[in-house]
Amino acid sequence: MATPKSLIDSFIDALVTHRLKRRSVIKFAAAAGVAGAVAPGLAASAAGGQLFKSPKSPGTCNTCHGLVPHAADYVVDPGTEDMIERAHALGIDLVWDRGPRCKYAHEGEAGAAGLCCFRCQMGPCTLGPPTGAERGACGATREVIATRDLVRRIAGGASAHVEHARAAAKTLKGVATGTIRDYAITDSAKLDAIYHGLCGNAGALTDQAKALAVAEASLADLGRDEGVPSWLQYKANPERQRTWGALGILPTGAGAEVCQAEHRTTMGVDGDMLHLATDALKLGLVDGYCGLHIATGLQDVLFGTPMMVRAKANLSVIDPKAINIVVTGHEPILSEKVVEAADDYNRRLPPVPINVVGMCCTGTEVLMRRGVNLAGAMVQQELAIATGAIEAMVVDVQCIIPNVQNVASQFHTHIITTNPQAMITGAMHVDFKLESAAASAQEIVSLAVANYARRDATKVHLPSYPPKEIVAGFSPEQIVAALANVNRVDPLRPLVDNIVANNIRGIVAIVGCATPRDSFGYQHVILTKRLLAQNVLVVGTGCWGHVAGQYGFLTADPAYPGVGSGLAAVLAAVAKANGLEALPPCWHMGSCVDNSRIEEVVNAVAAYLGVSIPQLPVVASAPELITEKAVAIGTWAVNLGLLTHIGSQPYISGSSALVKLLTSDVEGLTGGKFYVERDPEMAATGIISAINDKRRALGLSV
Ligand code: BF8
């Protein structure tokens, strides 16, 4: 017999099948008061996830699927909405449509709470409401099961950044030894700075010798079995290093730490929540200093340190009159060469030129250094293909959803994988080798050019909304250079003085993914807006940068719409000193590994004021986090001593003890803690309040 819930599901299905606009479905469900009964997958389809039940106390999965007021009606980028409608009209299901698929997570409320364990063949075990069990087959408690899985997620995220760092280090080593000839040392000054930071001042050496020493020191950090990573000693400020040492969380090499984490969390090894949680903190440091910093630093040496750059952002950067290549993933080692090969092709003035556009963090890397236009965030990959105008989507590693191949199979688009660690069933593969990088890039470009003949013009659909003009490239070097035009002798002074004077209330780093659980970019935009209005300087990285660009937060508008008067005046003064009409209200600092750049700024401000990082009016936020990498970065931020806001709990709410540890008690250890708040309006209030508290403690006005 049909239940009310199944009837509603059928109704929604019929509506979607008959191509009613998803917003109509959302509004109908909301008006009828049946939101909570809608099947989760279809709710995600209809509402981007906001039709789930209201947040409950820790221990229920709804803590990560709470109702966010007004999210359903919010349009960040009309072009994205247009393409979602278009994809649905073509019968293409998207990441917004599929939604979470764990039965126990959403009906029994255990999976999302971290209470499902797959660590051995006696299970799987589910604790909590679905089974009533409080211990697994081995006796593991809620605390142990939830913490073990959190450790594994952080280890997964850290390993992604470590492998990214390894690729950069191997490239630099090959350049230094001459085995890799398609890359070069582009930024000698940065190389020199890193060399002295890692290896000390060992006399005058050639760039090649310095590069070899830096590459080998970096690779040694990944492989070391004892001692602290040299990059941690180089980049982390002394107070933090002392704090971590006293806590016993200083890591050794990345390989050893990730391997130990896997070992500790396998069945029947570490059965103590606190002990496991210290491993989580340690892995956060592995992420920061064996992943993020190495990747950023060595990529700057190879490809240049970003400086201010103009570009455009949103799906409309895809050009229906050009051969379009999307580069997506994370490592610029590939995309830099693709951009070069496309430029070479275009220099021959072909009848149809190539238009390279970027997505995800690879897109951000080539935006920051080359001004390549941004097509969109990770969740928009399917939409880019649905334009019907993409000849090749070239992917390297991380955040490439496998469904891109399903969507591509409905068009002429080639999905081209390039990394032996990242294959996709049905996709083409070009074996990208560092030693023959230029040739591989040319092969990719040739595949795209040949594929243009297969484009079906009747399937091409681009949103009619023009791209946003953006300004990016805010490396610490660029920030200091811009401030130096205000005060050449003491460049940081204009920034610090304005913080002290409360023209800048504080700094918030908004980073990380864009979730498909809400309307695209909703939480990023609301949070950013509210903070700007309160004179908070917002810097950011990752998929936030795509949302920010598409909404207009990276547009240099001399009217500074929505920006508090104090912050607007500071931005205008810095712009004027640099001969610019305006600066963007938010400063885009790069890809997710470039969160390392944010630490550089925070360290500099702390040193200038003579205080520790936890004392600063600085907060980190990942309102829409998705990936394990984001969890690892968040843990690193807590280690730095920052209040770290996240918009959903990382599958730990089933253990109230672990929740208390990470959202409260850990502050007594590192000075930082997690703050979980799904509603961006509430999050903005909470973040401003925390900033004000820090200001008061420093004796500053609020
Ligand atoms: O590293 S922000 S969805 S693209 S994980 Fe991925 Fe998240 Fe986007 Fe870059 Ni970061």
Side-chain angles (χ1 to χ4, degrees):
M1 191 172 126
T3 63
K5 180 171 171 299
S6 67
L7 283 172
I8 292 163
D9 287 350
S10 310
F11 177 65
I12 297 276
D13 210 12
L15 289 175
V16 172
T17 304
H18 288 88
R19 295 178 186 169
L20 273 174
K21 289 187 183 292
R22 54 200 278 278
R23 292 198 184 287
S24 309
V25 178
I26 298 162
K27 283 177 182 161
F28 166 80
V34 296
V38 176
L42 282 171
S45 165
Q50 39 281 3
L51 297 183
F52 293 101
K53 288 175 265 181
S54 300
K56 303 270 178 63
S57 58
T60 74
C61 78
N62 285 322
T63 46
C64 65
H65 298 297
L67 180 75
V68 179
H70 313 305
D73 284 329
Y74 207 86
V75 174
V76 167
D77 174 55
T80 296
E81 301 299 320
D82 178 320
M83 286 310 304
I84 290 173
E85 302 291 352
R86 167 72 175 169
H88 286 166
L90 294 174
I92 296 170
D93 67 306
L94 302 166
V95 67
W96 285 273
D97 305 319
R98 290 181 293 274
R101 303 267 163 128
C102 173
K103 180 177 165 62
Y104 269 176
H106 299 282
E107 293 184 4
E109 301 179 342
L115 298 181
C116 291
C117 179
F118 290 84
R119 294 280 82 80
C120 77
Q121 293 295 124
M122 292 194 291
C125 295
T126 294
L127 309 190
T131 62
E134 286 302 316
R135 286 172 183 264
C138 68
T141 60
R142 286 169 174 251
E143 280 62 45
V144 167
I145 288 173
T147 317
R148 273 195 315 217
D149 277 6
L150 178 66
V151 167
R152 286 214 164 183
R153 282 195 294 284
I154 298 171
S159 65
H161 290 140
V162 167
E163 286 310 298
H164 186 152
R166 189 190 309 280
K170 286 174 109 169
T171 308
L172 186 62
K173 184 174 179 179
V175 169
T177 58
T179 58
I180 294 174
R181 297 179 178 279
D182 289 346
Y183 298 89
I185 295 162
T186 299
D187 190 336
S188 284
K190 186 106 184 196
L191 172 62
D192 191 60
I194 295 173
Y195 171 73
H196 285 103
L198 286 182
C199 309
N201 192 348
L205 293 178
T206 62
D207 272 3
Q208 263 59 32
K210 286 183 211 162
L212 184 58
V214 164
E216 288 187 333
S218 304
L219 290 167
D221 276 357
L222 307 193
R224 76 170 57 247
D225 201 27
E226 54 188 32
V228 178
S230 55
W231 274 88
L232 185 151
Q233 296 178 57
Y234 167 33
K235 288 294 181 184
N237 83 31
E239 182 278 330
R240 287 290 89 188
Q241 294 191 43
R242 285 194 299 276
T243 299
W244 300 331
L247 291 172
I249 60 169
L250 282 171
T252 184
E257 293 296 353
V258 171
C259 193
Q260 281 184 28
E262 291 290 304
H263 176 218
R264 287 171 68 161
T265 53
T266 199
M267 186 269 185
V269 183
D270 205 338
D272 181 83
M273 181 193 81
L274 274 174
H275 197 230
L276 283 161
T278 58
D279 208 31
L281 293 177
K282 195 190 279 189
L283 288 165
L285 297 178
V286 171
D287 190 59
Y289 302 103
C290 295
L292 311 184
H293 273 288
I294 297 179
T296 297
L298 303 194
Q299 287 172 178
D300 282 356
V301 171
L302 288 164
F303 307 122
T305 300
M307 300 299 273
M308 245 185 272
V309 66
R310 292 180 190 280
K312 298 177 194 295
N314 77 21
L315 287 161
S316 297
V317 301
I318 297 165
D319 182 353
K321 296 196 181 72
I323 296 163
N324 290 294
I325 300 177
V326 174
V327 289
T328 185
H330 283 76
E331 295 177 358
I333 293 167
L334 165 71
S335 48
E336 282 276 335
K337 289 292 141 189
V338 172
V339 173
E340 279 177 17
D343 286 348
D344 285 346
Y345 180 85
N346 287 344
R347 267 192 285 277
R348 298 199 290 270
L349 301 177
V352 184
I354 292 175
N355 176 42
V356 179
V357 298
M359 302 195 86
C360 296
C361 282
T362 283
T364 300
E365 296 279 5
V366 287
L367 160 75
M368 295 288 282
R369 298 192 181 88
R370 289 177 173 269
V372 169
N373 292 332
L374 286 182
M378 181 275 280
V379 289
Q380 294 172 297
Q381 290 171 100
E382 293 161 305
L383 300 183
I385 299 168
T387 63
I390 303 299
E391 275 56 55
M393 177 175 273
V394 188
V395 311
D396 49 78
V397 289
Q398 302 167 23
C399 302
I400 303 128
I401 56 175
N403 201 57
V404 290
Q405 181 57 40
N406 291 338
V407 182
S409 66
Q410 299 189 40
F411 299 89
H412 70 302
T413 305
H414 290 323
I415 303 296
I416 304 177
T417 59
T418 56
N419 189 301
Q421 295 186 54
M423 302 282 192
I424 297 174
T425 303
M428 300 177 84
H429 186 76
V430 170
D431 194 14
F432 182 78
K433 291 205 169 13
L434 293 169
E435 293 75 11
S436 52
S440 296
Q442 276 161 16
E443 181 185 350
I444 288 165
V445 161
S446 299
L447 285 167
V449 170
N451 200 27
Y452 180 70
R454 295 176 58 236
R455 185 192 287 184
D456 180 347
T458 65
K459 287 187 172 178
V460 173
H461 175 97
L462 265 298
S464 57
Y465 305 91
K468 287 278 190 329
E469 302 285 337
I470 64 169
V471 177
F474 286 86
S475 62
E477 290 86 344
Q478 171 62 87
I479 292 170
V480 169
L483 294 172
N485 286 331
V486 181
N487 187 332
R488 199 151 293 285
V489 180
D490 193 0
L492 275 184
R493 184 156 185 179
L495 178 63
V496 174
D497 277 358
N498 278 297
I499 292 172
V500 170
N502 207 13
N503 294 321
I504 298 174
R505 186 187 299 272
I507 302 173
V508 174
I510 309 185
V511 307
C513 326
T515 181
R517 286 180 173 174
D518 290 305
S519 295
F520 172 69
Y522 169 75
Q523 300 198 50
H524 279 304
V525 166
I526 296 296
L527 180 59
T528 304
K529 259 188 170 182
R530 300 294 176 260
L531 295 177
L532 288 175
Q534 293 290 320
N535 295 307
V536 172
L537 176 62
V538 175
V539 300
T541 60
C543 282
W544 167 86
H546 293 278
V547 176
Q550 291 169 38
Y551 188 76
F553 292 135
L554 306 182
T555 302
D557 181 343
Y560 295 104
V563 181
S565 58
L567 176 61
V570 175
L571 293 169
V574 177
K576 188 174 174 201
N578 285 273
L580 300 169
E581 195 186 16
L583 285 178
C586 299
W587 293 354
H588 192 351
M589 296 191 70
S591 66
C592 284
V593 294
D594 294 335
N595 285 311
S596 61
R597 300 192 199 278
I598 297 173
E599 184 188 359
E600 308 254 10
V601 173
V602 169
N603 276 342
V605 173
Y608 196 102
L609 285 169
V611 300
S612 67
I613 295 175
Q615 292 176 277
L616 291 174
V618 174
V619 172
S621 172
E624 304 195 20
L625 85 166
I626 296 175
T627 64
E628 292 176 328
K629 291 181 292 174
V631 181
I633 290 169
T635 309
W636 170 65
V638 168
N639 282 325
L640 285 177
L642 299 175
L643 179 74
T644 302
H645 163 245
I646 50 178
S648 60
Q649 59 86 13
Y651 306 149
I652 62 164
S653 63
S655 166
S656 53
L658 182 57
V659 169
K660 180 170 176 291
L661 176 66
L662 296 181
T663 59
S664 174
D665 299 351
V666 70
E667 190 174 21
L669 304 174
T670 70
K673 64 180 177 181
F674 283 103
Y675 162 46
V676 184
E677 176 52 65
R678 181 150 163 72
D679 183 339
E681 303 277 3
M682 302 280 289
T685 303
I687 288 170
I688 298 281
S689 167
I691 286 174
N692 286 343
D693 287 348
K694 301 266 179 176
R695 292 188 64 87
R696 282 190 203 96
L698 286 172
L700 304 177
S701 63
V702 297

